[in-house]
Amino acid sequence: MYAAAVPATGNVKSRRSRWTANIVMLVVAALVAIVVRTYLVQTFFIPSGSMEQTLIIDDKVLVNKVLYRFRDPERGEIIVFRPPPAWSAGPDEDYIKRVIGVAGDRVKCCDDKHRVTINGTALDEDYLYPGDEPSMTPFDVTVPAGRLFVLGDHRSASADSRAHLGASSGTIPVDRVVGRAFVTCWPLPRWRSLSVPSTFAGVPNPH
């Protein structure tokens, strides 16, 4: 007659403890991921060519969602924002553009060399899509308080502030900004930081 094997109680408890620990770790990891995505950093993919060649279709960028809790966006930064209702975008659609003018700035196009100017200073926009003009649409906008004037780098393929000049002069509210895109993270050969072009360093503050 064979004796039936009796499982050791200690082993059962040990396996249960390991399973419990693993489940707790998964839950904690999921909560951390949710907190990071909601409040700190989020990945966005590029669905259109409006920011070429700086960003191309299917690039993925990391967006800092904390920075603008401490300061407003600055000229030259690339931002993700929820478009104003007047822009007739989809309810869950986010835009990504470059900040050209901030509160008080007078943004014009174009000067006698067909350049965009800010407070009378011309921009040398070497980041524009090859062959694009700074703008085929003339504009002269003084940016109201709490708002931004934004343009895509692929000017001939970007529905940006120029396309909405009849609604608050095409400007967007700062409080609709999701965050600053600071790095292209995918695909790996496209990895690079999204720094502010040097041309913006020479722009004076509005009087």
Side-chain angles (χ1 to χ4, degrees), residues 15-77:
R15 285 195 295 272
R16 287 176 178 171
S17 296
R18 285 197 297 272
W19 275 106
T20 300
N22 289 338
I23 291 171
V24 169
M25 288 176 62
L26 287 173
V27 170
V28 170
L31 290 174
V32 169
I34 291 171
V35 169
V36 168
R37 184 180 185 278
T38 303
Y39 298 106
L40 302 178
V41 176
Q42 186 173 347
T43 303
F44 287 82
F45 85 97
I46 306 304
S48 75
S50 70
M51 283 294 294
E52 290 176 337
Q53 300 280 11
T54 307
L55 300 170
I56 62 176
I57 295 173
D58 291 335
D59 273 355
K60 288 184 172 60
V61 297
L62 294 180
V63 173
N64 183 331
K65 302 176 74 173
V66 179
L67 179 63
Y68 298 142
R69 296 173 186 265
F70 301 99
R71 67 166 176 83
D72 286 342
E74 297 178 354
R75 303 181 197 99
E77 294 178 340

Side-chain angles (χ1 to χ4, degrees), residues 100 106-123 125 128 132-142 149 151 155 160 162 165:
I100 301 298
R106 186 180 182 185
V107 186
K108 294 180 62 177
C109 190
C110 293
D111 69 1
D112 56 0
K113 295 184 179 179
H114 209 73
R115 299 172 296 182
V116 171
T117 65
I118 306 175
N119 303 326
T121 297
L123 297 181
E125 298 186 280
L128 293 185
D132 262 14
E133 295 286 345
S135 181
M136 296 302 291
T137 302
F139 54 83
D140 185 351
V141 172
T142 298
F149 191 87
L151 298 175
R155 298 283 160 81
D160 45 41
R162 297 167 302 157
L165 293 172

